[in-house]
Amino acid sequence: MRSAHQPRSIATVSSLQQPGALIQHRLLPKCYVVGGVSGSGKSTVGRMLADRLNCPFYEGDDYHPKANKDKMHSGIPLQDEDRWPWLDVLADIIHQHIIRDELAVVACSALKQKYRDVLSGRATGQQQFKDVAFVLLQPNKETLAKRVQERSALGLHFMPASLLESQLALLEFDPTAYTYGTPPTFTPGLLHSVSMVLQSSKL
């Protein structure tokens, strides 16, 4: 277990609110992490955003080790110690794009702030956190349950519907950490792209 990953407070940032989503912006982001619980639409929105920005898309679920997938498939919620290696892999992908000054979109649940701190580099004191924006998708519970049940019944995902409640319980949201409105330091083109994707995805 990695003691370096401790809970941290969220600094106030500029944000844009869309129905069913919260976009947490930092200064001129190079990487977007599309987060939320299972069934929130991370992969759909992430791919659409990557297509619109003409940049690579990374599906976070593809980077889970087999042990994690087997655990979730059995209906056992992941613990922090299961997630740290997986988050470190995704954080490295993000970091490589940032140092190359390239855009990228990553789909990752990012349920807790300390997970988001790892992905952005804040947990290790890296300044790259200013280059990462989080798009946290928040459909209503009824919509989530319907999507997860349908997907599980069709065998389209390794996570069963029974784990949705555990994910919702983990999801951290601090309304005092955000202000709403168009952020002046965010490039209009990228802001428009995110806004248009969220509107057209019909979440």
Side-chain angles (χ1 to χ4, degrees), residues 2 5 83-94 118-119 124:
R2 300 179 50 170
H5 296 127
R83 289 188 172 95
W84 294 136
W86 169 63
L87 290 167
D88 284 339
V89 170
L90 296 179
D92 185 61
I93 290 172
I94 291 169
V118 172
L119 293 169
T124 52

Side-chain angles (χ1 to χ4, degrees), residues 67-77 158-160 162-163:
N68 282 7
K69 293 181 180 180
D70 289 346
K71 196 171 184 178
M72 287 184 281
H73 184 69
S74 299
I76 303 172
F158 51 79
M159 200 193 91
S162 60
L163 288 182

Side-chain angles (χ1 to χ4, degrees), residues 119-164:
L119 293 169
S120 68
R122 181 186 285 272
T124 52
Q126 299 179 46
Q127 289 301 306
Q128 73 175 37
F129 74 85
K130 297 177 181 177
D131 295 311
V132 182
F134 291 90
V135 181
L136 305 178
L137 304 178
Q138 299 173 308
N140 62 57
K141 188 175 179 180
E142 291 73 22
T143 298
L144 290 169
K146 182 175 183 292
R147 289 177 183 172
V148 174
Q149 287 168 1
E150 289 176 349
R151 191 171 63 179
S152 180
L154 293 172
L156 299 178
H157 199 269
F158 51 79
M159 200 193 91
S162 60
L163 288 182
L164 178 59

Side-chain angles (χ1 to χ4, degrees), residues 27-33 49-58 93-106 131-133 186-187 189-191 193-194:
L27 302 180
L28 301 175
K30 295 185 179 71
C31 183
Y32 293 85
V33 178
L49 180 57
D51 286 346
R52 192 171 185 91
L53 298 177
N54 192 29
C55 70
F57 169 74
Y58 296 90
I93 290 172
I94 291 169
H95 177 68
Q96 292 303 316
H97 276 273
I98 289 174
I99 63 177
R100 293 196 301 265
D101 197 27
E102 297 173 351
L103 285 171
V105 177
V106 176
D131 295 311
V132 182
F186 199 71
T187 54
L190 293 181
L191 179 60
S193 292
V194 176

